[in-house]
Amino acid sequence: MSQQENVDELVATQTEGYKVGEKKDINELKELDANDESLNKWKASLGLTGTAKERFPDDKRTVIVQALVLQSEGREVVMDVSSPEAIQRLQDKPLVIKEGVDYTFKIRFVVQREMVTGLKFLQQIKRMGLTVEKMEVMCGSYGPKYEDQEREFPTNKAPSGMMARGSYTIRSKFVDDDNNAHLEWAWPMEIKKEWE
């Protein structure tokens, strides 16, 4: 299968009839309906009431994904995805998951300069070239914030049994309502009898 076919399979679903609103900068959003109490609460929940210092002023990206974190049975495995070099290192050592365990992922990221709406996490798991699972999780809208922001995903159960053990290829993508891909990467995973 070509690289292009893999990318095309990892596309966010679109809600029929939904149109992305007009893009507004932070100052416009702050001034929007300034006397509306419920809207002011919403703006405060997104951190739009103050001025957030940029954590990475030399990085022109709006959303900077820091890590994808696996949590299971009291374990936490942090996969650094903060740079192309870090993503390349993931290729050298597959993530090992014990068969049959419940696990969850969470994503850590920084939003700077502008508000980002409709963030979604997409993931496709393949085994021997066939898709065995696809996931799409709506993460929400986020305003600029110096600190890491994170979103935890629903719990999954790792497959078990002799036929399930082995190597998997995972493609992950973090996109927004405007179909901007803030990060897209592939990484290997193995299901084994025990943790390593």
Side-chain angles (χ1 to χ4, degrees):
M1 230 179 228
S2 74
Q3 182 77 359
Q4 183 61 40
E5 287 172 331
N6 285 339
V7 172
D8 290 344
E9 291 180 53
L10 205 54
V11 176
T13 58
Q14 302 296 317
T15 303
E16 189 175 328
Y18 174 73
K19 292 185 180 181
V20 177
E22 179 185 336
K23 186 127 176 106
K24 296 187 181 296
D25 69 24
I26 291 294
N27 291 327
E28 287 177 303
L29 288 169
K30 285 180 186 178
E31 299 302 319
L32 189 66
D33 296 325
N35 296 327
D36 184 326
E37 186 178 333
S38 64
L39 189 56
N40 287 333
K41 286 180 183 178
W42 175 76
K43 289 188 270 187
S45 75
L46 293 173
L48 299 179
T49 54
T51 304
K53 182 178 177 188
E54 287 182 18
R55 185 155 152 201
F56 303 102
D58 295 332
D59 193 325
K60 299 302 173 205
R61 295 176 292 171
T62 303
V63 178
I64 302 166
V65 183
Q66 297 292 299
L68 186 63
V69 181
L70 169 87
Q71 297 173 311
S72 178
E73 296 186 334
R75 296 173 181 267
E76 185 170 277
V77 179
V78 178
M79 293 176 279
D80 181 2
V81 294
S82 62
S83 69
E85 297 80 20
I87 292 170
Q88 185 57 47
R89 284 191 294 273
L90 292 176
Q91 299 300 315
D92 300 333
K93 188 171 187 228
L95 172 69
V96 174
I97 297 179
K98 179 182 173 182
E99 66 178 343
V101 299
D102 289 334
Y103 68 94
T104 187
F105 284 109
K106 67 180 171 182
I107 192 162
R108 287 188 188 140
F109 56 96
V110 174
V111 176
Q112 58 182 20
R113 292 186 199 85
E114 295 295 327
M115 183 176 150
V116 62
T117 59
L119 277 175
K120 291 180 185 174
F121 179 77
L122 310 172
Q123 188 160 275
Q124 177 184 44
I125 301 175
K126 286 189 169 189
R127 174 119 196 251
M128 294 184 270
L130 298 174
T131 299
V132 294
E133 183 179 325
K134 273 180 120 169
M135 175 174 78
E136 179 174 336
V137 179
M138 173 55 83
C139 298
S141 299
Y142 295 84
K145 196 173 182 184
Y146 186 84
E147 298 81 18
D148 281 349
Q149 300 189 63
E150 58 183 40
R151 174 67 158 82
E152 189 168 313
F153 306 136
T155 300
N156 283 321
K157 187 167 210 61
S160 62
M162 186 173 66
M163 298 301 288
R165 283 182 232 129
S167 299
Y168 294 78
T169 302
I170 301 174
R171 297 191 57 74
S172 301
K173 191 175 185 180
F174 206 37
V175 299
D176 64 24
D177 267 349
D178 295 319
N179 285 320
N180 296 315
H182 296 286
L183 185 64
E184 184 173 354
W185 73 104
W187 48 283
M189 178 180 79
E190 291 184 12
I191 303 291
K192 294 192 173 185
K193 274 188 165 186
E194 296 297 331
W195 293 103
E196 285 188 359

